[in-house]
Amino acid sequence: MDIPTPADGALCLVTGASGYIGGRLVPELLDKGYRVRCLARHPDKLRDFPWSDRVETVRGDVTVAESLREAFAGADVAYYLVHSMSSTARFEDADRRAARTFAAEARSAGVRRIVYLGGLVPGGVPEHELSPHLRSRTEVGRILLDSGVPTAVLRAAVVIGSGSASFEMLRYLTERLPVMVTPTWVDTRVQPIAVRDVLRYLAESAALPADVNRTFDVGGPDVLTYRQMMERYAEVAGLRKRLIVPVPVLTPRLSSEWIGLVTPVPSSLARPLTESLRHEVVCAEHDIARHVPDLPGRPLPFTEALRLALSRVREARVTTRWSSASPPGAPSDPLPTDPDWAGGSLYTDERSRTVDASPEALWRVVEGVGGENGWYSFPLAWAVRGWADRLVGGVGLRRGRRDADRLRVGDALDFWRVEAIERGRLLRLRAEMRLPGLAWLEMAVERDEEGRTSYRQRALFHPRGLAGQAYWWGVSPFHAVVFGGMARNIARTAEKTGGGGTGAPPGRG
């Protein structure tokens, strides 16, 4: 079996391209000369990535064999970067079925290599004692290795890079808590790795010899406790030394709830991260270097990885974030105005205002909503809604935004997800907070019949059962303050920052 290389014009299929790792791996492969095809359930999510016009995109799902057949056609290498982060009891079954379907279709299509990124497994720990998510990652790797297609399973522990869940958790815990009461796992040894080293290993694995079918432990040069990682972060970030007090009663479940309250990482995602820290996760080998030789200064030391991640955050150059992938259970139903809308109750709150500003000035305000800029109305109400969502296991309001000025389809925006964006004209957000129904928020920039700038805002809610009906009528008394104030203040901000001559006559709106 020939080894696929860029010189052969090899085609790499990348699943999970809208996620944290996948969104960064695609340009790495392109820069190496590979052709790239992305499999996505919602191809629109890839439209605004800077590399989108250099790849082929196929609509499909790793659980649907028919869609995989089209995706695998002519592919030489297949990257499996899909993970379930669900906390439901059935997620292991879902992961198992997806991996088996992917493996079978890859073999049938004649794919020459599979590359999978899994989790580093603690040595000497029986598989049944592993956390459910790490156990599932291990099983997925085994399924792919048994597929009949040469497979490289890269196993990493804590990935350090701007926007990674592990980095965000470390960053916010250290920055926000000068005194920390912590779980005992802060003294567990781990071997972190810089995201750029993970990407290098993944990209180079496409050209591994055909007889390589195995796992590789990948990590940086430092083995540290989580306590030492927080101390290093404080030092790199210029913070005072943190006081860390381990408390045995803080279980992974309790500590994940605590992390959910203190950091933007929701407890549903923090729990699998903390559960994986119950056992020491240190590389047992560095055999990957036989095929991907170490470069001077690489893999990056932990401190250098921190400095690079922090500089990216401070310079607002975070290309992907942990929130790039939709959370478990995120709705994907059609918008009520779509042709395939199935009907049912639908409640709307519509607002419009004439704005004494150019459409461009108004659009800048619209595209800048959320994150540090907030939502332009009743901040306490938005904050309370975010806290309430956190308390029931939702994502909360503090995911912020990937870029302070520019949005793209698929971006997380606090507890919303960018579903559609027509730059300069329309922004549509879909709610990802816990709700008894489906919700959207649309913001549009238009011109009226007289050529004046107009702002149109529409909130839509499709209730689910009696609870959904009760929810809508329970919050509707606040709409005038929340949604009315939002429309009014967005218009005022646009007038203040870019008003004059192209919008409404003075005093209007």
Side-chain angles (χ1 to χ4, degrees), residues 333-346 438 440 461-463:
D333 296 19
L335 185 73
T337 51
D338 290 346
D340 51 354
W341 168 246
S345 299
L346 182 68
L438 304 174
W440 295 263
F461 182 68
H462 176 51

Side-chain angles (χ1 to χ4, degrees), residues 17 47 66 72 104 200 216 220 222 253 345 349 383 396 410 438 453 461 491 504:
R47 185 188 65 190
E66 292 76 11
F72 277 132
R200 177 171 177 257
F216 291 98
D222 301 299
R253 179 174 181 175
S345 299
D349 180 281
L438 304 174
T453 302
F461 182 68

Side-chain angles (χ1 to χ4, degrees), residues 7-20:
D8 300 331
L11 174 63
C12 295
L13 172 68
V14 177
T15 64
S18 64
Y20 179 73

